[in-house]
Amino acid sequence: MAVNVNVNNHNLGTLDMLGNKLRFGAFIAPFHAMDENPTLCLERDLELVQWMDKLGFDEAWIGEHHSAGFELIASPELFIATVAERTRNIRLGTGVSSLPYHHPLMLADRINQLDHITRGRVMFGVGPGALPSDAFMMGIPVAKQRDRMDEALAVLVPLLRGETVSASTEWFELKDARLQMTPFSRPSVEITVASQVSPTGAQAAGLHGLGLLSIGATSTGGFNALASNWAIAEEAARAAGNTMDRNQWRLVGPMHIAATREQARADVQFGLHNWLHYFRDVAALPLAPDDGTDPVDALIANGMAVIGTPDDAVAQIERLQAQSGGFGAFLLMDHNWASWDAKRRSYEMLARYVMPRLQNLNDNRIASIDWAAKNRPEFIGQVQAAVGARIVGHIAAKGTDNISPEILAALAAAAKQA
């Protein structure tokens, strides 16, 4: 039987065709104050990802660090294996695996195993290693970290696709190497390359046709480099016969939101000073001035962070969209600026009030309620007419003995108006 379908978007208002849904997640280094129990800190990180899974976040990326005491997770693979058993839907990525620290075959084998045991929920984020103190302890020259990342990535990509690889460098060798299991995800796990200000990550992503993870997207340098780094990635991709996909581009920035700006500012007094101390005095990144001025004002003014309301969070993401030209996912740079309860509320508010606006989740609901309100007089009139007709029919058949005086008066008034 033929079915005629007439699609009319104007029935519920004018709606644009929906594109890819912006994804949300977190980049969990993590950052933990030095006066807390580290075992409990790790447990809260696991609980955070469980909370994100319940709230409908799409992704969680887990860091790798081996020194400086503040970023506690040494093995993102172990963390992912643990939290995968506690969650249902959220995808889990290494954020990032520091490639110079691992023999490529061993790392590829671990990631491939995770791909199978998570049934394809794992993602593979890669980088050269962020802390020079990590490289120092392993005797790796900092000047060679990015070269070694490129060398490792060149063999990791085909290995994770199930190919056989032979290669020889100054720091590793592969002889007819291949993984025992073909990948669960096809053609392989999703691979993304970390990028901050330098073009290294963007060039590597383009060369291999991988995703891009802009970790410092809201810092002044990182924000200004967004469009240029994407252009570098696209140029490198064209030269290599690849295509870059903006849906595989992730931008990272810190936020803490509350019902009011005043509440958000009060919340971050709990732990912002610890985070700033780490970046000023250990990681050597001057994210806010140390001259006695209010660091909250500085972080907000320079665009580095959102400490405010859901409206402020939406504005920040729209600012990033305009600067970058579009991306696939926004990742909260996880921190412990606020107490555990306030932090959980911040994630919940983002899920309840920020995601819907940027994912167009309520567009049809709004169009529907507006349409129903606009046509209410007609709908109410039809209901009243239908009810009135039934009452009149009852009176004709049974009389008015069981009909209330109010209804009889209403019928009389309607008859006069007619």
Side-chain angles (χ1 to χ4, degrees):
M1 180 178 67
V3 177
N4 294 321
V5 178
N6 179 29
V7 178
N8 182 1
N9 286 336
H10 295 286
N11 286 342
L12 294 181
T14 302
L15 300 179
D16 295 329
M17 186 68 70
L18 296 174
N20 289 328
K21 185 170 71 172
L22 181 67
R23 303 185 308 282
F24 285 84
F27 188 85
I28 303 170
F31 303 112
H32 288 297
M34 302 301 294
D35 60 350
E36 289 201 50
N37 183 326
T39 307
L40 297 182
C41 288
L42 291 172
E43 183 60 36
R44 282 204 309 277
D45 292 332
L46 293 166
E47 290 177 14
L48 174 63
V49 180
Q50 292 175 262
W51 182 233
M52 292 172 62
D53 187 50
K54 182 176 181 179
L55 291 172
F57 281 82
D58 300 284
E59 305 175 356
W61 296 78
I62 314 302
E64 175 191 352
H65 302 89
H66 303 279
S67 61
F70 207 68
E71 301 174 77
L72 291 179
I73 295 174
S75 172
E77 301 105 296
L78 284 175
F79 186 99
I80 288 170
T82 302
V83 82
E85 290 295 299
R86 304 187 187 184
T87 55
R88 296 179 59 188
N89 301 307
I90 193 168
R91 300 186 71 207
L92 305 162
T94 62
V96 296
S97 294
S98 301
L99 298 190
Y101 304 167
H102 307 275
H103 190 286
L105 181 62
M106 298 296 98
L107 181 58
D109 233 352
R110 297 196 299 270
I111 296 300
N112 196 43
Q113 180 175 320
L114 278 177
D115 187 32
H116 282 268
I117 66 176
T118 65
R119 299 295 195 272
R121 280 201 283 151
V122 73
M123 303 170 290
F124 186 33
V126 302
L131 295 179
S133 48
D134 287 357
F136 177 85
M137 291 195 300
M138 288 177 273
I140 299 172
V142 173
K144 292 188 175 182
Q145 284 181 257
R146 282 155 183 79
D147 292 338
R148 292 189 179 187
M149 182 195 80
D150 292 337
E151 292 167 346
L153 194 56
V155 300
L156 281 164
V157 171
L159 281 173
L160 287 167
R161 289 175 179 165
E163 300 173 18
T164 301
V165 180
S166 294
S168 180
T169 73
E170 67 171 0
W171 65 287
F172 72 82
E173 189 167 348
L174 294 174
K175 295 181 178 180
D176 296 329
R178 67 180 168 207
L179 305 182
Q180 295 183 97
M181 295 188 294
T182 50
F184 182 89
S185 302
R186 303 299 170 89
S188 81
V189 298
E190 183 179 353
I191 306 173
T192 189
V193 186
S195 173
Q196 294 207 50
V197 177
S198 82
T200 302
Q203 289 172 338
L207 176 63
H208 299 287
L210 307 176
L212 193 62
L213 179 59
S214 295
I215 296 175
T218 59
S219 68
T220 301
F223 180 80
N224 292 336
L226 287 175
S228 60
N229 272 345
W230 187 255
I232 290 168
E234 287 190 313
E235 182 180 357
R238 283 192 297 270
N242 297 317
T243 302
M244 294 298 294
D245 181 0
R246 285 184 178 270
N247 200 45
Q248 290 185 306
W249 189 12
R250 297 164 172 90
L251 272 57
V252 182
M255 291 183 175
H256 177 78
I257 59 176
T260 65
R261 290 177 176 176
E262 293 75 19
Q263 184 61 57
R265 294 176 73 103
D267 287 346
V268 302
Q269 298 305 312
F270 173 85
L272 177 61
H273 60 287
N274 291 318
W275 188 83
L276 290 173
H277 165 70
Y278 175 70
F279 278 104
R280 286 169 178 162
D281 301 328
V282 180
L285 293 175
L287 299 179
D290 193 15
D291 57 5
T293 58
D294 189 337
V296 174
D297 288 339
L299 289 170
I300 294 172
N302 66 20
M304 174 65 191
V306 170
I307 301 171
T309 66
D311 286 342
D312 296 321
V314 170
Q316 174 79 315
I317 295 170
E318 289 177 341
R319 173 175 169 261
L320 290 168
Q321 288 173 324
Q323 177 71 8
S324 66
F327 53 91
F330 176 77
L331 307 179
L332 291 164
M333 178 181 281
D334 186 64
H335 47 71
N336 285 286
W337 294 351
S339 69
W340 176 234
D341 288 341
K343 175 176 173 173
R344 282 169 54 93
R345 285 196 299 272
S346 178
Y347 273 79
E348 182 179 5
M349 292 194 73
L350 192 140
R352 291 178 65 187
Y353 302 115
V354 177
M355 287 187 196
R357 289 171 61 180
L358 293 162
Q359 294 177 332
N360 306 102
L361 297 185
N362 288 325
D363 285 11
N364 277 21
R365 292 179 67 205
I366 293 168
S368 183
I369 197 171
D370 289 346
W371 172 77
K374 179 181 178 181
N375 292 281
R376 180 179 181 275
E378 178 183 347
F379 298 152
I380 294 298
Q382 291 180 5
V383 169
Q384 290 174 341
V387 172
R390 283 302 182 105
I391 295 172
V392 169
H394 177 85
I395 291 172
K398 303 291 184 178
T400 62
D401 290 349
N402 295 319
I403 305 299
S404 70
E406 292 82 359
I407 293 177
L408 293 174
L411 289 173
K416 288 181 180 180
Q417 291 178 356

